[in-house]
């Protein structure tokens, strides 16, 4: 039995309709980004505690029956989950799902771009925090050249739009944002700059590395002709169009100018925990319920109960450096 169509909407206690699910398919990653993984991170959940593909499809199907229209595959690094194109194909076939996208570091994208496109993935967000090989390695521990090859493979496979996500860190990469924007302009990519969020125990997730993006925007405006713009499905970013190009630049400002009033998303971790806010600790465990044999009506009821617990706003600004949960634990 599925929820009645008249009830097919997830609305939290503050009137926000939840239409976007970020789905972490693994907590493993082949990079070690200093703002994401805690110091000394050795691993995550045991694979036996991961949701199976069948469980994932069931939960996502329950979400789409309740009005969720956009699912983004995340990790860790989602391409580390074996058989991911098969899962993507099953999700893309769900009734009501309009948009299946992926966030990736693109280290493995050269092998997966075509299979993902055939499976129904349409859009890509790629993490790219530096175009300087030595800085990229210092931030991530990885090889920049491998990532750039993966991004090009995604473009050739037809994944579009491609959005480059750059976490701006004072004293680390804040002096090369103009170069990253020029890279995006040359390829028709969208650039999204993200304020460092001082949460978890990552070596770069500290207040010392935080930089308000309004300062960065003023600097960019001295070199590039920027004008305010809107972008469909642009999420929490505030966008400018770069004159004489197809490129937009988005500013995601969870600290300096939060966007909680329009938050339409929740995050499902690989262990079946539903996280209701990136910057608060509240969560709703689903794995044990799924494995206890609840039916579809009961699952829908639990999803509604969870959404009712979504807080009005995060407290990242008030609690700089005090939110203990790392980004790697919940899919960013």
């Amino acid at each position: 039995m599925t929820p009645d169509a008249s009830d097919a909407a997830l609305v939290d206690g503050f009137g926000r309709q939840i239409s976007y699910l970020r789905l972490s398919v693994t907590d493993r990653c082949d990079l070690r980004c200093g703002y994401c993984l805690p110091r000394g991170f050795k691993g995550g959940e045991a694979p036996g505690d991961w949701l199976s593909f069948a469980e994932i499809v069931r939960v996502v199907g329950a979400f789409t029956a309740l009005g969720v229209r956009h699912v983004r595959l995340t990790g860790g690094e989602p391409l580390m989950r074996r058989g991911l194109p098969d899962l993507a194909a099953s999700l893309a076939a769900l009734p009501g799902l309009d948009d299946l996208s992926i966030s990736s570091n693109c280290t493995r994208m050269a092998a997966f771009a075509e299979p993902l496109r055939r499976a129904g993935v349409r859009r890509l967000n790629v993490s790219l925090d530096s175009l300087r090989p030595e800085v990229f390695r210092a931030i991530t521990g990885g090889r920049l050249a491998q990532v750039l090859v993966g991004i090009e493979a995604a473009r050739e496979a037809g994944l579009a739009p491609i959005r480059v996500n750059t976490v701006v860190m004072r004293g680390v990469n804040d002096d090369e944002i103009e170069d990253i924007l020029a890279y995006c302009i040359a390829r028709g990519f969208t650039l999204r700059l993200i304020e460092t969020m001082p949460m978890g125990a990552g070596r770069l997730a500290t207040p010392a590395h935080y930089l308000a993006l309004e300062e960065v925007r003023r600097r960019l405006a001295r070199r590039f002709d920027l004008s305010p713009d809107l972008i469909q499905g642009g999420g929490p970013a505030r966008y400018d169009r770069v004159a004489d190009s197809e490129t937009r630049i988005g500013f995601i400002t969870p600290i300096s100018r939060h966007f909680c009033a329009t938050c339409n998303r929740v995050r499902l971790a690989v262990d079946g925990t539903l996280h209701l806010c990136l910057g608060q600790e509240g969560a709703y465990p689903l794995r044990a319920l799924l494995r206890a044999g609840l039916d579809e009506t009961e699952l829908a009821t639990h999803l509604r109960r969870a959404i009712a617990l979504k807080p009005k706003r995060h407290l990242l600004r008030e609690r700089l450096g005090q939110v203990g949960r790392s980004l790697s634990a919940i899919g960013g």
Side-chain angles (χ1 to χ4, degrees):
M1 180 177 178
T2 57
D4 185 84
S6 63
D7 296 325
L10 284 172
V11 179
D12 71 9
F14 304 96
R16 298 170 297 196
Q17 182 170 340
I18 306 305
S19 59
Y20 177 16
L21 175 67
R22 292 181 62 95
L23 170 64
S24 177
V25 297
T26 180
D27 56 5
R28 306 296 198 263
C29 190
D30 52 356
L31 297 182
R32 290 292 181 267
C33 297
Y35 52 80
C36 181
L37 286 173
R39 296 178 181 86
F41 182 79
K42 299 297 183 183
E45 297 287 335
D49 291 333
W50 294 357
L51 293 186
S52 69
F53 281 4
E55 290 169 332
I56 289 173
V57 173
R58 187 180 179 204
V59 174
V60 176
F63 269 110
T64 58
L66 293 170
V68 166
R69 295 293 173 256
H70 174 196
V71 172
R72 178 174 294 279
L73 304 171
T74 71
E77 170 48 47
L79 297 183
M80 294 189 72
R81 182 76 183 255
R82 185 175 300 173
L84 185 66
D86 295 331
L87 174 62
S90 296
L91 295 175
L94 288 172
L97 184 61
D98 297 333
D99 185 10
L100 182 63
S101 60
I102 188 168
S103 290
S104 174
N105 62 31
C106 279
T107 57
R108 301 169 182 235
M109 187 59 74
F112 282 96
E114 286 283 357
L116 288 172
R117 183 68 174 82
R118 289 195 300 268
V121 175
R122 294 293 175 259
R123 300 191 291 114
L124 168 67
N125 280 12
V126 55
S127 175
L128 182 63
D129 295 317
S130 178
L131 289 173
R132 300 170 184 168
E134 69 282 2
V135 176
F136 185 86
R137 182 175 290 278
I139 295 171
T140 71
R143 292 174 51 246
L144 174 64
Q146 184 180 10
V147 171
L148 297 180
V149 168
I151 295 172
E152 185 59 30
R155 182 167 68 155
E156 291 178 357
L159 293 179
I162 293 176
R163 294 174 182 165
V164 171
N165 287 348
T166 299
V167 177
V168 180
M169 292 163 279
R170 185 184 295 277
V172 179
N173 66 346
D174 56 313
D175 63 337
E176 60 173 308
I177 303 306
E178 289 88 346
D179 293 339
I180 297 174
L181 178 54
Y183 166 86
C184 291
I185 292 171
R187 291 157 182 82
F189 298 161
T190 292
L191 175 62
R192 304 203 311 170
L193 303 178
I194 305 170
E195 289 180 340
T196 305
M197 289 178 280
M199 57 185 290
R203 58 186 170 82
L204 297 177
T206 68
H209 291 105
Y210 167 74
L211 179 62
L213 286 184
E214 183 55 35
E215 177 181 333
V216 177
R217 187 192 182 281
R218 288 195 298 267
R219 196 180 83 201
L220 291 174
R222 290 195 287 269
R223 174 173 168 184
F224 300 93
D225 185 1
L226 305 180
S227 58
D229 198 8
L230 297 175
I231 184 170
Q232 185 175 3
R238 297 177 175 91
Y239 284 93
D240 286 316
R241 176 186 281 276
V242 181
D244 302 318
S245 80
E246 295 301 314
T247 293
R248 277 90 161 183
I249 179 168
F251 301 87
I252 300 179
T253 55
I255 308 299
S256 65
R257 187 180 174 189
H258 72 77
F259 34 82
C260 300
T262 58
C263 182
N264 65 342
R265 69 196 59 195
V266 291
R267 293 166 171 82
L268 182 65
V270 67
D271 67 352
T273 302
L274 188 62
H275 295 277
L276 306 166
C277 175
L278 185 64
Q280 294 228 38
E281 302 285 355
Y284 199 97
L286 293 175
R287 185 184 68 221
L289 297 170
L290 292 169
R291 296 180 180 178
L294 81 171
D295 64 25
E296 300 310 305
T297 299
E298 292 169 326
L299 177 54
T301 296
H302 279 286
L303 295 184
R304 292 189 184 283
R305 287 175 181 169
I307 298 307
L309 299 174
K310 185 173 172 66
K312 184 175 183 179
R313 55 160 298 197
H314 69 67
L315 298 174
L316 288 172
R317 186 181 184 93
E318 293 84 349
R319 300 174 58 198
L320 282 178
Q322 298 179 38
V323 178
R325 185 178 60 206
S326 65
L327 290 173
S328 63
I330 59 173

